[in-house]
Amino acid sequence: MTGHTYLAYDYPLLSMFWTLLWFFLWIMWFILLFRIIGDIFRDDTLSGWGKTGWLIFVIVLPFLGVFVYLIARGKGMGAREIAHAQARQRAFDEYVRDRAGEAGGRSSADELARLSEMRNRGDIDDDEFRRAKELVLSGAGPAAGASTPPSSGSRA
């Protein structure tokens, strides 16, 4: 038999279990380490020197550094994570409001209905209505002529 075949027979199920357990713990350790490094950078209460000190401690003595960090500052990690998530949500909500505000909250159909109303009231004449309608339908923006006061030739 070759060396690969012996490995299959010499590696019992319990050894495979322990290997997978250690592999899982190793991955969990890296996840914890990266979360702590992220928390160090996210914390606004720490000075630059404090962040540098914690980072060096966590990198040079990883096991001791992570455990000491969890004992000393672990209680606030959750609060900082929640505050960061809320700040991201507020920024997203503000972005959506800004984007919705740029559209003016009116569709082309709303603009055309408003223009038609103005023409029916006599605020604008047919020529102004036609030009404003072309602007709205071309997507060049809201009817600029319709939002200004009527000219001296229109009926009041």
Side-chain angles (χ1 to χ4, degrees):
M1 292 184 161
T2 65
H4 295 292
T5 309
Y6 284 127
L7 180 61
Y9 290 112
D10 285 343
Y11 204 65
L13 186 62
L14 187 61
S15 293
M16 186 177 70
F17 170 76
W18 283 113
T19 301
L20 288 175
L21 179 69
W22 281 111
F23 182 72
F24 174 75
L25 290 174
W26 190 248
I27 289 174
M28 290 301 297
W29 172 255
F30 278 111
I31 289 172
L32 180 63
L33 183 66
F34 289 131
R35 296 255 338 216
I36 287 176
I37 290 172
D39 187 62
I40 290 171
F41 283 111
R42 182 182 354 224
D43 190 4
D44 292 334
T45 61
L46 279 176
S47 67
W49 289 106
K51 289 180 183 185
T52 305
W54 275 114
L55 197 59
I56 288 172
F57 189 40
V58 166
I59 290 175
V60 172
L61 299 170
F63 290 104
L64 183 63
V66 165
F67 293 138
V68 169
Y69 186 85
L70 287 176
I71 291 169
R73 302 183 47 84
K75 192 178 240 183
M77 281 180 71
R80 286 187 291 276
E81 181 71 28
I82 290 171
H84 182 69
Q86 288 172 343
R88 281 192 322 239
Q89 183 65 40
R90 279 193 304 273
F92 176 75
D93 292 343
E94 183 178 322
Y95 173 78
V96 169
R97 275 193 298 276
D98 287 346
R99 292 291 132 197
E102 283 181 9
R106 292 187 179 166
S107 66
S108 318
D110 294 336
E111 286 289 326
L112 289 174
R114 196 173 121 248
L115 283 171
S116 179
E117 245 179 67
M118 291 174 71
R119 183 181 62 175
N120 290 341
R121 283 192 317 245
D123 292 340
I124 58 174
D125 60 8
D126 288 337
D127 189 43
E128 289 174 326
F129 173 77
R130 183 186 51 76
R131 281 183 288 167
K133 181 175 132 181
E134 287 173 4
L135 278 173
V136 170
L137 292 178
S138 70
S147 63
T148 58
S151 62
S152 61
S154 67
R155 295 171 264 162

